[in-house]
Amino acid sequence: MQWDSRAVGFVLGLLAPLLGFAAYGGIYVTAIRPHHDFHWFVHDLFLGTEEYRTRIVSLSLIADAALFFLFDRRDMHKAMRGVIGAMLVYGIYIAGALALDGLQSLDWS
């Protein structure tokens, strides 16, 4: 299997923010709100509060930046392009969710 391909970079770019989400959640429940647990972070804060969902996803994308620079250091330019594609997918989700939240706040029912 060739590791320097757009497909590998895209798949790893989609999976890396999951690790970033877990890392941010771990930091959040140990340093910021130590009286809560990771289950609270996922179910109450992330899934239960629409206001914070896009912010948490955005912070989780820092893991993609680390993956991008790892591929850059190893001269894996095709995989870097795949990571950029995955970041664009997450960006489309974030922009769409923010636009939907903005339209819902106008209360056009």
Side-chain angles (χ1 to χ4, degrees):
M1 177 178 185
Q2 184 180 2
W3 287 98
D4 188 20
S5 69
R6 288 184 185 152
V8 169
F10 186 77
V11 170
L12 291 177
L14 289 176
L15 293 177
L18 296 175
L19 293 174
F21 176 82
Y24 176 66
I27 292 169
Y28 192 83
V29 298
T30 56
I32 299 172
R33 302 214 188 244
H35 54 281
H36 291 295
D37 59 353
F38 193 73
H39 182 269
W40 173 86
F41 176 78
V42 173
H43 291 284
D44 292 340
L45 187 66
F46 181 70
L47 296 175
T49 310
E50 293 181 16
E51 178 183 354
Y52 297 119
R53 195 170 299 148
T54 55
R55 295 173 186 176
I56 293 171
V57 171
S58 298
L59 285 172
S60 299
L61 287 176
I62 293 173
D64 266 347
L67 182 65
F68 179 83
F69 287 115
L70 175 73
F71 286 149
D72 182 40
R73 184 156 301 256
R74 298 183 185 269
D75 290 328
M76 299 172 71
H77 301 290
K78 291 178 185 175
M80 289 169 59
R81 291 178 186 154
V83 172
I84 291 172
M87 290 177 79
L88 288 174
V89 169
Y90 278 109
I92 290 169
Y93 162 73
I94 291 168
L98 288 174
L100 187 62
D101 288 344
L103 288 176
Q104 287 177 347
S105 70
L106 293 176
D107 195 28
W108 286 3
S109 45

